[in-house]
């Protein structure tokens, strides 16, 4: 397998990685890039927002406005979108896409309501996309309805970008949503400035996997089948509190008929047509900075490693999170938020990041001139680690950067 940076978070709740090293590991060399009236606005009722109501009492959120719902017409049907804020100059929007069995609330509420996310969301418009028929309260689709393919779901997103007048996006996708955002970036690279992809599997299902999925669908209830996609075996065996909660919510808040359509289409996906430059003739891969994230022992671990082998190692970061299971954004939102901060900081969109665990002062931004990657073995094949390599960082363009430092770190497969 090709190069990739593996970073195992410590198992403690608070991350003990030194800040300067944390910055250096996550910042990638990136170039900076690039108001339209909103229609069909439907402000969410306070009683339907749950935790959101409490969070929006914060001063930061008052400045960016309430969440608003939109039903956007696309070439492949209507798409439900929830948005807060308005486009800010040439800044990209943060656009999310959830996994199968979930919707934007179930997938991202915990993550975006983490206290540290206040430092991020005050700078950006946030746009959550629900796959057709997956939002809470969605009507059941008619019998015989042809659900959009994964390619068509990706093809719906330009309508969202155009509707709101976004110049570009930074995407956050989980599972199926990560696949869709990656496909979107492959087709419309100029619209995507960066991607955070959790639990992505770039491979389509073979006949054996397809048959196993079909058999599982015959012998298990749909929510249980979906749960085995979302959570690690350890979490399922221990029947953790988060598993129990999501089993109940998937049963009660997601239309089961609509969910089956989405599930079937995800399992019919094709391989993402991308390869690392030079590996095959006319290879095409993601051009934007990418952060790949997976929890330890997650069902998607093998797929994420495979995806890492298909990406440009100079703008890809692999983040493997300990004690996070199959849904890092739910079980370890603080650690993931910290990583996301530095990812955006490296793109030049956040001048500094506050760290309350230190003196309370800002942590200066920095940029990388070179990001060497260590060669690791794929989970699907035998291999060895070539060793660690130095990573150098220089002063950032803002002049607030740290001095040139060279770091060496151990990597593991």
């Amino acid at each position: 397998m090709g190069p990739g940076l593996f970073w195992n978070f410590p198992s403690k709740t608070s991350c003990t990685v030194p800040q300067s090293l944390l910055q250096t590991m996550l910042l990638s060399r990136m170039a900076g890039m690039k108001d339209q009236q909103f229609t069909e606005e439907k402000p969410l009722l306070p009683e339907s927002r749950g935790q959101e109501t409490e969070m929006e009492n914060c001063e930061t959120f008052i400045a960016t406005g309430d969440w608003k719902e939109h039903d956007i017409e696309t070439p492949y049907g209507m798409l439900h979108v929830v948005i807060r804020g308005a486009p800010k100059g040439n800044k990209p929007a943060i656009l999310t896409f959830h996994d199968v069995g979930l919707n934007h609330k179930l997938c991202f509420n915990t993550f975006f309501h983490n206290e540290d996310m206040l430092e991020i969301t005050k700078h950006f418009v946030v746009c959550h996309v629900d796959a057709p028929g997956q939002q809470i309260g969605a009507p059941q689709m008619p019998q015989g309805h042809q659900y959009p393919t994964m390619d068509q779901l990706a093809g719906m997103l330009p309508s969202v970008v155009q509707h709101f007048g976004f110049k570009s996006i930074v995407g956050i996708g989980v599972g199926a949503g990560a696949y869709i955002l990656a496909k979107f970036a492959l087709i419309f690279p100029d619209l995507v400035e960066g991607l955070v992809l959790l639990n992505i599997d770039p491979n389509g299902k073979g006949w054996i996997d397809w048959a196993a999925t079909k058999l599982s669908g015959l012998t298990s209830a749909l929510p249980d089948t979906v749960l085995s996609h979302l959570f690690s075996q350890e979490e399922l065996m221990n029947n953790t509190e988060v598993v129990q909660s999501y089993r109940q919510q998937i049963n009660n808040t997601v239309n089961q008929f609509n969910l089956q359509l989405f599930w079937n289409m995800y399992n019919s996906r094709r391989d993402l047509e991308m390869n690392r430059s030079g590996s095959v003739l006319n290879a095409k891969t993601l051009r934007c900075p990418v952060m790949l994230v997976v929890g330890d022992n997650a069902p998607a671990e093998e797929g994420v490693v495979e995806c890492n082998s298909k990406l440009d190692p100079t703008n890809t970061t692999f983040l493997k999170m300990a004690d996070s299971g199959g849904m890092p954004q739910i079980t370890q939102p603080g650690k993931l938020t910290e990583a996301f901060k530095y990812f955006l900081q490296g793109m030049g969109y956040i001048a500094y990041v506050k760290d309350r665990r230190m003196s309370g002062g800002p942590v200066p931004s920095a940029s990388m001139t070179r990001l060497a990657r260590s060669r690791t073995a794929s989970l699907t094949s035998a291999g060895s680690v070539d060793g660690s390599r130095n990573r150098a960082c220089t002063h950032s363009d803002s002049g607030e950067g740290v001095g040139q430092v060279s770091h060496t770190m151990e990597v593991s497969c």
Side-chain angles (χ1 to χ4, degrees), residues 245-263:
S245 173
Y246 272 79
R247 179 182 285 110
Q248 180 180 7
Q249 293 186 79
I250 292 171
N251 265 310
N252 297 336
T253 66
V254 182
N255 184 283
Q256 300 296 289
F257 181 82
N258 299 350
L259 171 55
Q260 184 73 67
L261 294 178
F262 189 19
W263 177 249

Side-chain angles (χ1 to χ4, degrees), residues 44-260:
L44 291 174
L45 296 177
E47 58 267 27
S48 69
R49 287 184 288 179
Q51 298 179 14
E52 295 173 357
T53 303
E54 178 182 351
M55 294 301 297
E56 286 172 3
N57 289 330
C58 297
E59 181 180 353
T60 301
F61 281 155
I62 292 175
T64 57
D66 287 339
W67 293 101
K68 294 181 175 63
E69 289 183 281
H70 302 259
D71 293 315
I72 299 175
E73 185 175 355
T74 79
Y76 306 105
M78 300 299 292
L79 202 57
H80 183 262
V81 174
V82 181
I83 187 172
R84 180 172 57 199
K88 305 177 189 303
N90 287 329
K91 277 189 179 180
I94 296 176
L95 184 144
T96 74
F97 210 119
H98 59 85
D99 202 354
V100 177
L102 308 176
N103 46 55
H104 81 273
K105 285 181 175 289
L106 295 179
C107 192
F108 293 111
N109 259 15
T110 301
F111 180 46
F112 276 85
H113 289 162
N114 182 268
E115 184 180 1
D116 289 335
M117 280 295 284
L118 299 177
E119 289 299 312
I120 296 176
T121 54
K122 70 181 181 182
H123 295 292
F124 298 89
V125 56
V126 179
C127 178
H128 295 304
V129 177
D130 287 318
Q134 309 305 304
Q135 70 269 25
I136 295 177
Q140 181 167 310
M141 294 175 166
Q143 291 287 342
H145 175 78
Q146 180 59 50
Y147 201 85
T149 66
M150 301 300 286
D151 288 6
Q152 290 172 337
L153 288 169
M156 301 171 90
L157 296 181
S159 298
V160 177
V161 174
Q162 182 180 15
H163 180 83
F164 295 115
F166 299 154
K167 303 299 181 183
S168 59
I169 69 151
V170 171
I172 305 178
V174 181
Y179 179 100
I180 292 166
L181 286 177
K183 188 70 176 181
F184 173 58
L186 288 170
I187 303 173
F188 306 97
D190 293 337
L191 296 180
V192 183
E193 289 199 43
L195 288 174
V196 178
L197 305 176
L198 291 79
N199 299 337
I200 185 172
D201 188 345
N203 302 316
K205 282 189 174 293
W207 285 105
I208 295 178
D209 293 331
W210 179 85
T213 300
K214 286 293 185 182
L215 181 60
S216 176
L218 293 174
T219 59
S220 303
L222 179 59
D224 290 328
T225 302
V226 171
L227 285 171
S228 66
H229 162 76
L230 298 174
F231 294 99
S232 69
Q233 285 300 311
E234 181 179 356
E235 289 172 301
L236 293 173
M237 289 177 61
N238 294 334
N239 196 25
T240 61
E241 185 177 338
V242 67
V243 171
Q244 296 177 43
S245 173
Y246 272 79
R247 179 182 285 110
Q248 180 180 7
Q249 293 186 79
I250 292 171
N251 265 310
N252 297 336
T253 66
V254 182
N255 184 283
Q256 300 296 289
F257 181 82
N258 299 350
L259 171 55
Q260 184 73 67

Side-chain angles (χ1 to χ4, degrees), residues 14 26 54 79 122 143 243 249 277 291 300 308 336 396 405:
S14 61
L26 284 174
E54 178 182 351
L79 202 57
K122 70 181 181 182
Q143 291 287 342
V243 171
Q249 293 186 79
S277 178
M291 182 166 69
N308 184 60
L336 183 57
S396 69
V405 182

Side-chain angles (χ1 to χ4, degrees), residues 241-316:
E241 185 177 338
V242 67
V243 171
Q244 296 177 43
S245 173
Y246 272 79
R247 179 182 285 110
Q248 180 180 7
Q249 293 186 79
I250 292 171
N251 265 310
N252 297 336
T253 66
V254 182
N255 184 283
Q256 300 296 289
F257 181 82
N258 299 350
L259 171 55
Q260 184 73 67
L261 294 178
F262 189 19
W263 177 249
N264 291 344
M265 196 55 70
Y266 177 64
N267 287 314
S268 301
R269 69 189 183 278
R270 301 178 297 175
D271 289 353
L272 278 175
E273 298 176 351
M274 61 182 188
N275 289 280
R276 184 168 293 174
S277 178
S279 60
V280 298
L281 187 64
N282 298 324
K284 182 171 66 172
T285 190
L286 297 175
R287 288 165 30 186
C288 63
V290 180
M291 182 166 69
L292 299 174
V293 183
V294 68
D296 54 348
N297 301 316
E301 185 174 11
E302 184 175 339
V304 178
V305 172
E306 177 70 14
C307 185
N308 184 60
S309 71
K310 298 175 180 291
L311 301 180
D312 181 352
T314 64
N315 65 359
T316 303

